[in-house]
Amino acid sequence: MESLLPVDRAGLDTPIPGTMCSRRVWTRSEVSRLSVSVNELDLVRGLLQALQGFSSPFILWHQKEQTFLPKSEIRVSHLSQSSLHVLLSGFLYAATCLKLVESIVSGINTSLRSPPTLMAFFTSVSSWLERLRDIALNEEVKINNSDVTVTPTLLGLTSSLSSLCSGAEYLLQVVRGALPHAYFESSSTISTAEIAVHVLDYLYKRLDEVCLVQGGEVGGFHMLLQIFAGSLLPYIEGLDSWLFEGTLDDPFEELFFTANQSVSVDDAEFWEKSYLLTRVPGPNSDVTKLNQKKGMNVNDSSSVSDREKDQNNRVLCPLFIKDICKSIVSAGKSLQLMQHIPSTSPEVSGKIRYHGRNLDSAILAEKFRSTADLSLSEIFCLSLVGLTGYGDHVSRYLWKDEVDEWEISPTLASYISGELVNGMGDKDLPVHTYSDRVWYKLLVGAVQEKKSRETKLEHQSACYVNCVGNGKNGLAAEKALQGLFCHENVVVSVSKLDLQRNKNAWNALNLSQNYCLPSLNDESLLSAVFEGSGVADAGLSGTNYKFGFQFGISEYLSSQDDTKILETLFPFPTLLPSSQPKLHMSEFLPFQKNSTLPSKVLSWMLKEEPRDTPLPVVILQECFAIYVRRQTDYIGKVILSRLMNDWKLMHELSVLRAIYLLGSGDLLQHFLTVIFDRLGKGESSNDDFELNIILQESIRNSADATLLSSPDSLVVSISREDCLDRDKDDKGDVIPLSSTRKSRANNFGIDCLESLKFTYKVPWPLELIANSEAIKKYNQVMGFLLKVKRAKYVLDKARRWMWKGKGSATKIRKHHWLLEQKLLNFVDAFHQYVMDRVYHTAWRELCESMVKAGSLDEVIYVHETYLLSIQRQCFVVQEKLWAIIASRINMILGLALEFYSIQQTLSSGGAVSAMKARCEMEIDRIEKQFEDCIAFLLRVLSSKLNVGHFPHLADLVTRINYNYHYMSDTRSLMTVSGAETKSSRG
């Protein structure tokens, strides 16, 4: 594949230095051959033509060398060769720069794969190319004017064309810097998103550099600002349709996110996978290589850490959007959700109003349209004119924060509608203060034209129908001229004034006059053939195909109706407009979205130099980011209202809390009692169907059954993976058990309840928040809470057995009572900690954070933070510290289960002396392990470092070590060892 440009691609690598202007354009050997005298006036004309891109008899364009060179053998009588060389070099260099820019622009315009941002960039460059060449054209016109008596000279031309020469060099530098070199490589895989980011980032950085130059390069800032604004418009238009309509209108995939067509809006993975952020290319990408070659560094701040730099560079988007890129994607997805699920709560949607109308109608009809129905690109242009031209912060008058108020200043609104008012708010300026400013005139004109167009189109459409029905010739065309714009034929809009002046020509231009073939001029032939037959005397004037071979009467009438309809749909189809040079489309066409107002603004910026040179970060903040943030914040407020009111988010989260955090008093009481009793008897429950029958019976008999939509909305199953995992060797800090005890623990031990998985189907779209991953985390917390509940259950049951045998009070029995109280005290303290920290405190923190959330992304983050909090407080996260603490807690809960088994054996009454002795040994082992675990836990939990990072650990220490029973305030252990206890019993 050959290069798309007819220019030397090697010249695109590095900009030509400005010092070349004073060094050379041609070699000294060429200078030595100059011998023919040339009139200085002719040479000046040749230079002016070269600056306009044309060759002349003395200045020629060399296609091979890609430069303008003077024709050999020329000499000016009153100038030396060195002086002539110095004078010509600057003009020839400027002409070469403009010619190279023209070549690059023509190559881009002929390319079929140029993305919108690149096309917009070169459209602005073309405007500057024309503007600079117009300077040379005007100078040539002055020279050719017969009234001018002063003879032009090369020295005088240097003074009058200084701005042209500097502008030409600067324009070429901008084009070469902004144009990705890899775009013209045949083997390049550069994406349109990379091209857009490269162009916009380059212009943004150059604009920032120019602003910081001492003294201010007004000319360079003027050029860069206009080009940057024009290049940014396609990007803003794509964001406009996304933020205000929820539609991704990006056929060239220039934006920083793409749609995943395999995920629909009603899928559970919609929020995470429907629209994916475009990641930055790897180190081998074209843009990265180009930036490295040019010495460009995306992260200019050395204070940013490497991790933050990597995080900022993960999304392929312009620098000035990185901070708000995720909120932009979130806002568009939120719009799609609200459009997909209309509000079902009239009282709720009536509270949230948009321009005085209910929210649903605003979403479906107006699509969250912004101020005065102007698009985001149009608001950007107005704000840019106000900021750079007058220092006005237009956002203060275009959009207020209050939802129920007009999104436009009352003074502006009244002035636009023609009704001036005396009372004005503190933020409103007097009308005469800004009524003569360009941005205000453009705003007033845009609003008035849009309103007039809406009313005209409705009236015009009704007139068309009446005209066709009544069959009035020419009336449809006349009504078309009365409208602002004829959509069927744009030429009619351009030639409206000419048509109104020449109504006599309408018949000639009318379609009905040229629809059928004219009659043949065969009167003499007919007279010769039918002479003497009487037919010739009947008045035949020629063969007419209207009633001849082609049509009958009915077909002819039908064709006349078709002709009238075509006249209505396509008035004056053969009309050609008169020649109007340099007439912009925005000058004669009515208001067009994203076209008329931006075109006028860019034309104004091309002609007028900015009065101030604000930093680009200020420009983007005041003219673009502020509107995006207000729109995203407003969408966030609306969808949060939907979540809390229509979709009942907090109710569903409270249901999950009641189920998985065992918050309901008796919802699972019967189910857990049956399961605990079966496990105590050594009976396994591996049948999912039987378990769900027990679960549904427990729900139906519960006072909290109304929490669930139906008893079968909660399902329990047995996870086979957990059973297989428990059969594997332990690699944690848990002390290994004997093989017999380990086999029993696998089936009936404290960890056996981890295989129970509860599934509650959250209604859509709340499934986006409480998804399958969140339910898995809820099950982990619930598995831990079930261990605590089972330990408390078996210890209470063992106490009842021991209470029955209280008459035989011995030292051994007292020892059992003491150990049981230690275990029960720990379990009760831990259960109270769980209820306070996990069930109440964490839920209160969740509710407080939900109130502060501003978008669905923040709601999801708050819920994930809540899950992480309760996971940490229940020690089920996969981190080293929590794994160590969890292993000791699980061991103590397992010891409670073993103590229960021993008491079950002793209370059966059939235990022999050998069995009782074995039980006493097990009691001593349980006590020793319990004291070791308590000592370890207190050391870890009371660590200042851990308590400082996680305050809830201090609360747990206080509950376990109540009244400093195990450890003093100086962190010295006070626990009596098991050996000492045994000796005291003896």
Side-chain angles (χ1 to χ4, degrees):
M1 178 180 176
E2 298 182 356
S3 173
L4 297 174
L5 298 184
V7 297
D8 183 12
R9 284 171 23 189
L12 294 174
D13 291 335
T14 55
I16 300 176
T19 54
M20 178 180 175
C21 298
S22 59
R23 288 206 303 265
R24 62 178 300 278
V25 174
W26 63 88
T27 62
R28 289 292 178 182
S29 61
E30 294 171 330
V31 175
S32 62
R33 295 200 303 265
L34 302 177
S35 59
V36 178
S37 297
V38 177
N39 188 357
E40 187 175 6
L41 177 60
D42 295 336
L43 188 57
V44 168
R45 288 174 176 170
L47 286 175
L48 292 175
Q49 292 176 7
L51 289 171
Q52 298 175 56
F54 306 111
S55 297
S56 65
F58 308 105
I59 308 296
L60 301 177
W61 170 255
H62 289 253
Q63 185 66 33
K64 182 178 180 181
E65 300 180 13
Q66 293 288 296
T67 184
F68 274 105
L69 292 176
K71 189 176 182 180
S72 59
E73 301 180 355
I74 63 172
R75 179 189 298 273
V76 179
S77 59
H78 61 282
L79 293 175
S80 64
Q81 294 299 315
S82 59
S83 299
L84 180 62
H85 175 269
V86 171
L87 290 174
L88 290 180
S89 60
F91 297 114
L92 294 179
Y93 176 69
T96 300
C97 290
L98 295 179
K99 189 66 176 180
L100 290 177
V101 171
E102 179 187 355
S103 301
I104 298 174
V105 170
S106 61
I108 292 294
N109 291 335
T110 56
S111 175
L112 299 178
R113 62 189 187 104
S114 299
T117 299
L118 194 62
M119 290 297 295
F121 168 75
F122 279 104
T123 299
S124 299
V125 169
S126 300
S127 300
W128 276 97
L129 178 64
E130 182 181 359
R131 182 179 186 270
L132 293 175
R133 283 181 168 175
D134 283 345
I135 299 175
L137 177 61
N138 295 332
E139 194 69 24
E140 185 178 10
V141 171
K142 291 180 182 179
I143 293 176
N144 295 330
N145 192 344
S146 58
D147 298 335
V148 178
T149 58
V150 180
T151 303
T153 62
L154 292 175
L155 190 60
L157 203 64
T158 303
S159 176
S160 60
L161 298 184
S162 60
S163 62
L164 187 153
C165 294
S166 60
E169 178 188 3
Y170 198 78
L171 183 62
L172 181 61
Q173 291 180 4
V174 170
V175 170
R176 283 177 166 169
L179 184 63
H181 187 276
Y183 179 72
F184 299 99
E185 299 291 341
S186 58
S187 59
S188 172
T189 58
I190 185 171
S191 63
T192 55
E194 292 179 76
I195 295 173
V197 170
H198 178 81
V199 172
L200 296 177
D201 281 354
Y202 174 82
L203 295 176
Y204 181 80
K205 293 176 182 179
R206 286 300 298 267
L207 195 61
D208 189 60
E209 294 172 0
V210 171
C211 289
L212 299 178
V213 172
Q214 186 69 25
E217 297 181 2
V218 179
F221 180 84
H222 181 203
M223 179 184 294
L224 279 173
L225 180 63
Q226 199 272 348
I227 295 177
F228 178 69
S231 304
L232 186 58
L233 287 179
Y235 212 88
I236 296 180
E237 291 173 11
L239 295 178
D240 174 80
S241 62
W242 176 252
L243 286 172
F244 292 92
E245 300 177 7
T247 303
L248 180 58
D249 186 11
D250 184 27
F252 285 85
E253 297 184 352
E254 283 192 309
L255 296 181
F256 53 87
F257 59 98
T258 57
N260 184 2
Q261 301 297 338
S262 61
V263 180
S264 61
V265 68
D266 53 356
D267 288 342
E269 299 177 340
F270 168 75
W271 197 258
E272 296 180 356
K273 299 183 179 180
S274 59
Y275 293 93
L276 306 177
L277 294 173
T278 304
R279 301 300 177 183
V280 291
N284 296 325
S285 69
D286 299 310
V287 172
T288 305
K289 292 180 180 177
L290 183 62
N291 292 342
Q292 292 175 354
K293 183 183 295 185
K294 295 184 177 181
M296 296 173 61
N297 184 18
V298 177
N299 297 294
D300 298 330
S301 176
S302 58
S303 62
V304 183
S305 64
D306 294 337
R307 181 177 180 182
E308 290 174 341
K309 290 181 179 179
D310 180 70
Q311 184 177 1
N312 292 335
N313 291 329
R314 284 187 298 176
V315 181
L316 184 62
C317 69
L319 293 173
F320 47 86
I321 303 182
K322 284 187 178 294
D323 294 338
I324 57 177
C325 62
K326 293 184 178 180
S327 62
I328 290 174
V329 178
S330 175
K333 291 190 293 187
S334 300
L335 273 180
Q336 291 189 357
L337 278 178
M338 290 186 287
Q339 292 169 359
H340 188 72
I341 311 177
S343 177
T344 57
S345 178
E347 64 277 4
V348 173
S349 53
K351 295 178 182 178
I352 306 173
R353 304 180 67 82
Y354 181 79
H355 292 298
R357 288 175 289 276
N358 286 345
L359 175 64
D360 289 338
S361 61
I363 295 176
L364 300 177
E366 296 190 9
K367 308 293 185 182
F368 282 90
R369 178 50 53 204
S370 60
T371 302
D373 202 29
L374 297 181
S375 65
L376 188 60
S377 60
E378 293 166 346
I379 295 179
F380 167 75
C381 292
L382 289 175
S383 303
L384 185 60
V385 173
L387 181 64
T388 60
Y390 306 95
D392 295 338
H393 297 275
V394 181
S395 60
R396 293 171 52 192
Y397 313 109
L398 284 183
W399 202 333
K400 288 184 177 293
D401 294 332
E402 292 80 2
V403 176
D404 291 331
E405 293 187 5
W406 253 61
E407 290 181 352
I408 193 168
S409 169
T411 305
L412 286 175
S414 60
Y415 189 81
I416 291 173
S417 61
E419 301 174 358
L420 297 180
V421 293
N422 296 325
M424 293 179 297
D426 295 334
K427 295 183 179 181
D428 298 329
L429 297 176
V431 174
H432 60 80
T433 303
Y434 50 83
S435 59
D436 59 340
R437 298 181 181 180
V438 174
W439 68 266
Y440 182 78
K441 294 178 180 179
L442 290 174
L443 173 61
V444 173
V447 175
Q448 290 179 343
E449 286 184 12
K450 281 200 169 189
K451 292 181 178 180
S452 300
R453 181 189 173 194
E454 293 175 358
T455 56
K456 289 282 187 180
L457 288 178
E458 294 179 0
H459 179 69
Q460 181 178 339
S461 177
C463 289
Y464 282 161
V465 176
N466 295 333
C467 294
V468 176
N470 298 333
K472 296 180 180 179
N473 296 328
L475 186 57
E478 185 174 356
K479 294 299 181 182
L481 294 178
Q482 294 179 0
L484 290 174
F485 177 58
C486 181
H487 295 272
E488 298 80 12
N489 190 353
V490 182
V491 178
V492 175
S493 300
V494 181
S495 309
K496 184 189 302 182
L497 296 178
D498 294 335
L499 287 171
Q500 289 176 344
R501 296 193 200 101
N502 302 279
K503 291 187 177 182
N504 296 331
W506 287 11
N507 290 331
L509 296 172
N510 212 335
L511 181 65
S512 60
Q513 303 300 322
N514 304 280
Y515 188 75
C516 298
L517 293 174
S519 59
L520 297 179
N521 188 15
D522 57 353
E523 293 87 354
S524 59
L525 179 60
L526 289 174
S527 299
V529 172
F530 296 102
E531 184 178 1
S533 63
V535 177
D537 300 332
L540 289 176
S541 59
T543 304
N544 191 342
Y545 282 100
K546 289 182 179 180
F547 297 100
F549 310 104
Q550 192 173 2
F551 296 109
I553 297 297
S554 60
E555 289 83 357
Y556 170 73
L557 296 176
S558 177
S559 67
Q560 292 297 308
D561 294 337
D562 294 341
T563 303
K564 293 177 181 178
I565 293 176
L566 288 175
E567 288 178 359
T568 302
L569 297 177
F570 305 102
F572 309 118
T574 60
L575 179 66
L576 294 178
S578 59
S579 177
Q580 303 180 52
K582 294 186 179 180
L583 179 64
H584 295 282
M585 294 289 289
S586 59
E587 298 297 330
F588 63 88
L589 292 180
F591 193 92
Q592 301 292 311
K593 178 184 176 182
N594 294 330
S595 175
T596 302
L597 197 149
S599 177
K600 291 181 179 179
V601 169
L602 292 178
S603 299
W604 178 85
M605 294 179 64
L606 190 65
K607 299 174 184 177
E608 301 291 335
E609 290 189 357
R611 301 181 184 180
D612 194 9
T613 57
L615 291 173
V617 63
V618 177
I619 294 175
L620 270 299
Q621 171 62 30
E622 292 294 330
C623 304
F624 171 70
I626 187 171
Y627 301 106
V628 173
R629 285 194 173 96
R630 285 174 176 176
Q631 178 67 3
T632 55
D633 292 345
Y634 179 68
I635 294 175
K637 292 178 182 178
V638 175
I639 196 170
L640 284 178
S641 178
R642 288 285 189 88
L643 285 171
M644 301 302 175
N645 298 289
D646 289 5
W647 302 336
K648 309 296 183 184
L649 171 63
M650 298 309 296
H651 171 73
E652 293 298 329
L653 292 181
S654 64
V655 173
L656 294 175
R657 173 175 174 245
I659 295 174
Y660 292 98
L661 303 187
L662 307 180
S664 173
D666 60 349
L667 189 64
L668 300 178
Q669 183 64 33
H670 173 71
F671 174 81
L672 295 178
T673 302
V674 173
I675 297 301
F676 292 163
D677 287 342
R678 288 188 176 185
L679 292 176
K681 297 176 182 178
E683 300 176 1
S684 61
S685 299
N686 298 324
D687 189 354
D688 292 350
F689 180 75
E690 182 182 5
L691 289 177
N692 281 284
I693 291 178
I694 301 173
L695 178 62
Q696 293 179 21
E697 182 181 357
S698 176
I699 294 174
R700 282 193 296 267
N701 296 330
S702 171
D704 295 331
T706 55
L707 289 175
L708 306 180
S709 57
S710 61
D712 56 353
S713 60
L714 179 63
V715 179
V716 63
S717 60
I718 299 177
S719 175
R720 309 300 175 187
E721 297 179 358
D722 293 335
C723 296
L724 294 177
D725 292 339
R726 289 197 304 272
D727 290 338
K728 298 178 182 179
D729 294 335
D730 296 331
K731 296 182 180 180
D733 297 324
V734 180
I735 299 176
L737 303 174
S738 62
S739 58
T740 304
R741 198 183 317 125
K742 180 179 179 181
S743 175
R744 177 175 176 81
N746 286 338
N747 296 324
F748 308 104
I750 197 66
D751 294 328
C752 67
L753 293 176
E754 291 183 353
S755 60
L756 293 180
K757 301 300 178 184
F758 291 82
T759 303
Y760 175 72
K761 183 66 174 178
V762 181
W764 195 88
L766 298 182
E767 192 177 357
L768 302 175
I769 301 173
N771 52 21
S772 58
E773 188 65 26
I775 297 299
K776 185 184 297 183
K777 295 178 181 179
Y778 273 114
N779 269 299
Q780 292 176 354
V781 175
M782 186 179 188
F784 178 79
L785 297 180
L786 288 179
K787 294 179 185 179
V788 178
K789 195 172 186 66
R790 186 187 179 195
K792 182 174 176 56
Y793 177 83
V794 296
L795 287 176
D796 289 340
K797 197 170 184 179
R799 175 189 291 182
R800 290 194 296 269
W801 288 336
M802 296 169 64
W803 190 260
K804 293 179 180 179
K806 64 180 180 178
S808 58
T810 62
K811 291 183 178 181
I812 296 177
R813 180 64 63 182
K814 292 179 180 179
H815 179 216
H816 290 194
W817 275 102
L818 180 61
L819 179 58
E820 190 269 345
Q821 285 297 323
K822 290 181 179 181
L823 291 171
L824 188 60
N825 175 72
F826 175 85
V827 174
D828 284 341
F830 200 85
H831 184 263
Q832 292 176 3
Y833 156 80
V834 167
M835 294 303 295
D836 289 344
R837 301 294 306 186
V838 178
Y839 189 75
H840 294 292
T841 305
W843 177 257
R844 186 178 65 253
E845 293 174 353
L846 171 68
C847 295
E848 292 174 353
S849 300
M850 283 293 183
V851 174
K852 301 177 183 178
S855 65
L856 184 53
D857 270 334
E858 295 183 12
V859 170
I860 295 175
Y861 174 77
V862 168
H863 184 247
E864 290 178 348
T865 303
Y866 166 72
L867 286 177
L868 180 60
S869 175
I870 62 177
Q871 279 185 300
R872 281 178 173 171
Q873 292 171 5
C874 292
F875 310 102
V876 292
V877 291
Q878 299 299 323
E879 296 177 7
K880 184 177 181 180
L881 173 63
W882 310 112
I884 293 174
I885 298 175
S887 65
R888 296 309 189 273
I889 294 175
N890 285 335
M891 183 177 294
I892 293 177
L893 298 178
L895 293 176
L897 197 59
E898 293 182 20
F899 181 82
Y900 163 79
S901 300
I902 293 174
Q903 294 302 321
Q904 186 180 25
T905 302
L906 294 176
S907 63
S908 61
V912 296
S913 58
M915 181 63 68
K916 292 181 179 180
R918 177 66 182 272
C919 290
E920 290 302 319
M921 294 176 59
E922 288 296 319
I923 290 292
D924 293 339
R925 179 188 60 81
I926 291 174
E927 184 178 18
K928 178 64 171 61
Q929 290 186 3
F930 173 76
E931 292 172 351
D932 292 342
C933 291
I934 286 291
F936 181 85
L937 279 176
L938 291 178
R939 289 193 186 99
V940 174
L941 294 177
S942 61
S943 173
K944 294 182 180 180
L945 177 64
N946 295 333
V947 173
H949 283 83
F950 308 103
H952 64 275
L953 297 182
D955 181 29
L956 182 58
V957 170
T958 302
R959 294 179 183 275
I960 295 176
N961 192 36
Y962 187 72
N963 284 337
Y964 300 103
H965 181 73
Y966 297 105
M967 179 182 289
S968 65
D969 55 352
T970 59
R971 299 189 63 194
S972 58
L973 292 175
M974 302 175 65
T975 306
V976 181
S977 63
E980 295 176 355
T981 305
K982 182 176 180 181
S983 62
S984 65
R985 292 198 310 267

